[in-house]
Amino acid sequence: MHYEYTTHGTCSRKINFDLDADGSVHNIVFTGGCPGNLQAIPKILEGWQADAIIEKLLGNDCGGRGTSCMDQLCRILKKSFNI
């Protein structure tokens, strides 16, 4: 299933991704934000299980904002996959 999420508190404005029934994540695309990092990270995370992404990156903070692009991805993965 395809998801589109408007981020809060980050430089990126939107995250799109596909989530398979088995929990694997594909086609992550960040709109806005730091292009170098936000083009590289989806390549690294391609095919990972949602729970593994959440375990590694939930709570990651960017510049004292209390969230980050990766934290935002984890939050929507939790909601989308009911973790």
Side-chain angles (χ1 to χ4, degrees):
M1 177 168 265
H2 183 77
Y3 292 87
E4 181 174 297
Y5 176 70
T6 301
T7 59
H8 304 281
T10 62
C11 298
S12 66
R13 297 179 307 277
K14 192 183 304 180
I15 304 170
N16 289 280
F17 63 92
D18 297 323
L19 183 62
D20 291 346
D22 70 352
S24 58
V25 181
H26 303 279
N27 306 315
I28 303 167
V29 176
F30 290 88
T31 302
C34 307
N37 289 334
L38 297 180
Q39 290 174 20
I41 292 170
K43 292 176 184 178
I44 294 167
L45 298 180
E46 177 63 28
W48 278 35
Q49 293 294 303
D51 58 349
I53 294 171
I54 293 165
E55 181 182 323
K56 294 278 185 189
L57 300 173
L58 182 66
N60 190 51
D61 182 64
C62 181
R65 295 178 181 176
T67 192
S68 67
C69 296
M70 294 306 97
D71 182 60
Q72 292 286 297
L73 175 63
C74 292
R75 291 179 189 198
I76 192 59
L77 285 173
K78 283 182 74 165
K79 288 181 185 177
S80 300
F81 204 59
N82 298 318
I83 296 174

